[in-house]
Amino acid sequence: MKRAILAALGLATGLAVPASAEDIKVGLMLPYSGVYAALGNDIEAGFNLGLEHFGAETGATFEIIKEDTEVKPPVALGKAKKLILQDEVDVMAGIVSSGVLAAVRDMVHGAGVPLIVANAGNDEATGEQCSPFITRMSFSNGQVNRPMGKWMYDQGIRKVFTLAPDYAAGRQMIDAFAATFTAAGGEIVGQEFTPFQKTQDFGPYLAQAKASGAEAVFVFYAGGEAISFVKQYDSFGLKAELPLYGSGFLTSSLYVEAEGPAAEGVITALHYVPTLDNAANVAFSEAFKAKTGRVPSEYAVQGYDTARALIEATKTGAADRASLANALRAVSFEGPRGKLAIDPATNNVVQPIYVYETVAGEAGLTQKVLGALPAEADPVNGCEMPAITN
Ligand code: PHB
C-alpha cells in the first residue's frame, strides 16, 4: 500500500520495485499540454486522491505510468502503443478529448486492454464503437446535452444559435442538444463550428449569432477555449441581449474564477457541481480542498471515481486484463455525484444531470442548481457488446 500511495503522489513512477502478483500497472493518459492541460491535471489530482481514499480496501498496489496525450490524436495513439506494448500495462485510464478516444479505440480493443475513460464523452465509444474493454466513468456527450433541449424550450425559448469547436465532441454535444430542442418544437436558426485549438477571436461568430434572430445561444467549450469564449461573449455586449447557455464545462468550477463576472448568469447542464449536498460530496470536497486548495470540479470527481472503479474491480480479485475489464463493467457505488452504475449494454455511466446557473456567492462565483434530471441510460446507439473471450 505504501507503494500505491507513493505512486499516487507521482513519486514511484518508473521506480524499479519488484513486481508481485498484486501489482497493477496503470497507464494514465491525460493532456498535460494544450487547451485541456488544466483538465488533465485536475483529473490526476482526483485520481490520486481516490487511490489514497480507497486503496487500502484492496490488496493490490498500483504503479502509475503517465503519458501526455497533448490533445493530439496521432500523438496519443503512439503513447497508447508504448503503454500497451512496451510497458505492458494491465489497465489504462484517462483520456480527455473525444478525438483522442476515437484514435486509440481500435488499439485498446484489439489488444484487449481495459480502459477506464475519465473524461472524453465520444458517443461512439459507448455506441457503434463500443468495446467490452472500454468503460466510461465520466459522461457521454449526448448524456449531458440532451436534457437542455427540452429544458430551454420549457423556459419559453424558441430560437437558438449554436457554437462549438469543430471536432467530435463539439459536433456530438450540439447534435444532442439540437435533437431534443427541435423535437420539443424549437428552431436552430444558425450553427457554427470553430477551428479547434486554433480560434482566438470569436468576434466573427458572435456577430453571426447577433444577426441570426436567435433568442439565446447554446455552446460547448471547455478549458482555455471556454475562458476566452465566455469573456469575449460578455465584452461583445451579448450577454444581456442573448442569454448564454451550454454544457456545464463552459463554466466549470475549475476555471470559472478566471472567467470572472463574465460567467455570472450563464446557465448550463452537467453531471456534477461542487455544491451538491450529499455526505460523499462533502467529504470529497473537503479532502480535495485540503490537498489542492481548490474546489473540486467535474474533472476532479471523474478522476476520483475512476480510481475508485479500478479499486472496486481489483477487490473482486481481478488482476489480468480480461478479468479487470469484466469487473469494471459491473462497478456501481454511491459517490460525490450520487448513485453511479455502469450500463452493461454500452459500458457508459448512468447518472443524474444537473442544470445550474453560475452566480456570485460569498467567496466568489458558485453554482446554483436549478433542476436535477433523473439518471437515464443512453440509447445503445448501435452498440452490440461482444463478450470477452480469453
Ligand atoms: C471531449 O473531447 O470529449 C471533451 C473535452 C472536454 C470536456 C468535455 C468533453 O470538458
Side-chain angles (χ1 to χ4, degrees), residues 36 39 96-99 119-122 139 141 167 169 173 220-223 249 255 298-299:
Y36 292 157
L39 286 56
V96 163
S97 156
S98 282
N119 187 75
N122 197 325
F139 58 86
N141 293 331
Y167 81 107
M173 299 221 193
F220 160 69
Y221 285 106
F249 310 104
Y255 38 75
E298 65 278 18
Y299 306 111

Side-chain angles (χ1 to χ4, degrees), residues 136-380:
R136 181 155 47 205
M137 290 305 294
S138 48
F139 58 86
S140 73
N141 293 331
Q143 184 181 44
V144 285
N145 290 278
R146 230 177 278 125
M148 274 304 259
K150 179 159 187 317
W151 195 88
M152 283 175 66
Y153 186 86
D154 288 346
Q155 305 302 303
I157 298 164
R158 297 290 178 265
K159 292 180 179 192
V160 167
F161 188 93
T162 69
L163 278 166
D166 189 8
Y167 81 107
R171 295 203 169 255
Q172 292 175 3
M173 299 221 193
I174 296 301
D175 283 355
F177 162 75
T180 55
F181 184 63
T182 54
E187 187 189 346
I188 303 295
V189 294
Q191 209 166 48
E192 280 295 333
F193 291 94
T194 55
F196 181 42
Q197 303 212 70
K198 292 193 191 104
T199 307
Q200 254 131 45
D201 178 10
F202 291 99
Y205 305 103
L206 299 180
Q208 265 179 271
K210 189 179 161 92
S212 69
E215 298 155 14
V217 172
F218 182 92
V219 307
F220 160 69
Y221 285 106
E225 289 193 328
I227 301 172
S228 310
F229 182 84
V230 168
K231 286 182 136 179
Q232 289 181 33
Y233 198 87
D234 189 35
S235 57
F236 213 78
L238 274 188
K239 225 171 73 181
E241 177 182 337
L242 268 185
L244 180 57
Y245 295 81
S247 62
F249 310 104
L250 185 65
T251 44
S252 172
S253 55
L254 179 59
Y255 38 75
V256 73
E257 290 301 337
E259 295 171 351
E264 257 179 69
V266 177
I267 296 178
T268 59
L270 206 55
H271 52 294
Y272 174 77
V273 287
T275 47
L276 290 182
D277 189 14
N278 67 64
N281 189 40
V282 171
F284 165 66
S285 297
E286 278 172 11
F288 190 83
K289 270 187 236 156
K291 193 121 232 158
T292 63
R294 298 195 297 273
V295 168
S297 70
E298 65 278 18
Y299 306 111
V301 86
Q302 290 162 194
Y304 186 71
D305 288 343
T306 292
R308 184 165 181 187
L310 176 60
I311 286 157
E312 292 288 330
T314 59
K315 272 162 60 180
T316 65
D320 64 280
R321 288 171 168 180
S323 40
L324 271 171
N326 276 327
L328 283 166
R329 302 181 55 204
V331 156
S332 74
F333 54 79
E334 187 140 7
R337 293 181 245 182
K339 265 206 177 93
L340 295 192
I342 299 298
D343 174 10
T346 63
N347 282 5
N348 193 47
V349 61
V350 182
Q351 59 192 340
I353 301 293
Y354 303 95
V355 179
Y356 76 94
E357 179 176 357
T358 299
V359 295
E362 275 166 26
L365 293 165
T366 187
Q367 299 75 26
K368 181 176 160 197
V369 174
L370 305 179
L373 305 151
E376 225 176 70
D378 272 6
V380 294

Side-chain angles (χ1 to χ4, degrees), residues 95 97-106 115 117 120-122 125 134 136:
I95 312 219
S97 156
S98 282
V100 166
L101 182 53
V104 304
R105 186 266 172 206
D106 285 354
L115 165 65
V117 179
N122 197 325
I134 300 177
R136 181 155 47 205

